[in-house]
Amino acid sequence: HLLATECTVPALLDAVGQGRCFVGFDMLADATGFVFMADGPGTATAVMGESIQLSSGLRLKAQSPFPCRFTLVRDGSIVERSIGRDCEYEPAEPGKYRVDAELDILGEWTPWVYTNPIRIIE
């Protein structure tokens, strides 16, 4: 899934080059509408592949069209895990944050979405 400004070859290549994308195993469930973003004070926002300044009130947010288990990872280590259609986390330190999402299929957590990271800088 690409976060592109329009459906043209240059815009799609730009989205891939900037990391504004995520992998969704749509054979399990359509990941259209899955969102991972950073929402800062004022008008500061960032999506996958972008950077944002660490500040008081900064929130990482993920939303899913289906209930799932969200795993928030910072620099390769799990920092938060929650179940539902959305999750929110207030980061306390800089790093690269990404989300993995799993669906409960027949009682087993099955990988579904892997996002690119959002970089939080000091």
Side-chain angles (χ1 to χ4, degrees), residues 29-50:
D30 185 0
T32 300
F34 191 92
V35 175
F36 176 49
M37 66 177 293
D39 189 14
T43 60
T45 61
V47 296
M48 296 162 280
E50 297 179 341

Side-chain angles (χ1 to χ4, degrees), residues 52 54 74-75 91-97 118-122:
I52 192 167
L54 179 64
R74 178 189 164 270
D75 295 336
E93 51 191 329
K96 290 183 179 180
Y97 290 81
I118 295 172
R119 186 170 168 239
I120 298 178
I121 58 176
E122 287 192 90

Side-chain angles (χ1 to χ4, degrees), residues 8-86:
T8 64
V9 171
L12 296 174
L13 291 175
D14 182 59
V16 171
Q18 297 297 317
R20 293 188 315 268
C21 51
F22 66 91
V23 173
F25 295 102
D26 288 356
M27 64 194 164
L28 297 174
D30 185 0
T32 300
F34 191 92
V35 175
F36 176 49
M37 66 177 293
D39 189 14
T43 60
T45 61
V47 296
M48 296 162 280
E50 297 179 341
S51 298
I52 192 167
Q53 188 77 36
L54 179 64
S55 61
S56 177
L58 178 66
R59 294 276 197 200
L60 293 171
K61 299 178 180 181
Q63 293 180 320
S64 169
F66 301 100
C68 63
R69 180 170 74 175
F70 295 99
T71 302
L72 181 65
V73 178
R74 178 189 164 270
D75 295 336
S77 298
I78 295 172
V79 295
E80 181 77 8
R81 197 172 252 159
S82 65
I83 297 173
R85 292 183 92 149
D86 60 342

